[in-house]
Amino acid sequence: NYLGIGIDAKVALEFHRIREQFPSWFQSQLGNKVWYTGIGTPEVIRRSCAALHTKLQLYCDGVEVPIPPDAEGIVITNITSHMGGVFLWETGFPATTIPTRPDATPALKAAAAALTNNRRQGLADGIIEVVAIGGVAHMGRLSVGLARAQRLCQCSTI
């Protein structure tokens, strides 16, 4: 399962609302992808989820994880694929070191370091993966293999 926050969730919710209202319009996978594209395209200009890092704080295993300034979505997942076959964690850019304050306890520093070990994803390991995605154009490139998500961390709690 996964949880999308930001642009991914916004487009999915709008898709769901239209599909509930007009179920006969959604008869095939290809047709659904066309609808998804049509629903998401205005967000290329609108960018309603831009500056997500100023609107959201992300804490994983008690450590604040910085959200990249260009992120318009966060995906929290424990499955290997997303958006019909995109392997966000497996193909994502490696997670970077999470900064901690100079006065942070050794335990907090160790917890921050452990979050970015970039371990292999496992479905039954009790660990969830957290990745950042850009806007809808980035989502489109992800879906055809022309882009990569940004790994943020792996954790047990959010």
Side-chain angles (χ1 to χ4, degrees):
N1 294 329
Y2 71 90
L3 170 68
I5 301 167
I7 192 62
D8 172 60
K10 181 178 174 72
V11 173
L13 179 60
E14 187 60 27
F15 176 88
H16 172 72
R17 287 178 174 160
I18 294 171
R19 185 174 54 184
E20 291 252 309
Q21 192 171 2
F22 305 101
S24 64
W25 295 0
F26 299 85
Q27 298 296 319
S28 70
Q29 279 187 318
L30 179 59
N32 290 352
K33 287 185 184 215
V34 170
W35 274 107
Y36 240 89
T37 302
I39 292 166
T41 298
E43 283 297 326
V44 171
I45 295 168
R46 200 175 295 137
R47 299 195 60 223
S48 60
C49 296
L52 187 64
H53 69 289
T54 66
K55 303 169 188 168
L56 179 71
Q57 289 181 307
L58 177 63
Y59 286 85
C60 299
D61 291 346
V63 176
E64 185 173 8
V65 176
I67 297 171
D70 61 341
E72 293 187 32
I74 301 294
V75 178
I76 302 163
T77 183
N78 70 344
I79 58 175
T80 55
S81 70
H82 179 70
M83 295 189 319
V86 178
F87 298 94
L88 294 176
W89 185 260
E90 182 180 319
T91 62
F93 290 111
T96 58
T97 303
I98 297 172
T100 56
R101 296 187 359 223
D103 63 340
T105 65
L108 184 61
K109 289 179 181 179
L115 291 176
T116 57
N117 283 338
N118 290 296
R119 297 175 296 242
R120 187 172 177 91
Q121 188 175 21
L123 296 177
D125 59 4
I127 301 295
I128 50 179
E129 285 73 31
V130 183
V131 298
I133 56 175
V136 292
H138 185 231
M139 288 172 60
R141 291 190 310 274
L142 281 166
S143 69
V144 295
L146 296 176
R148 296 164 64 186
Q150 175 60 59
R151 296 177 184 176
L152 296 181
C153 69
Q154 291 175 300
C155 59
S156 299
T157 62
I158 298 213

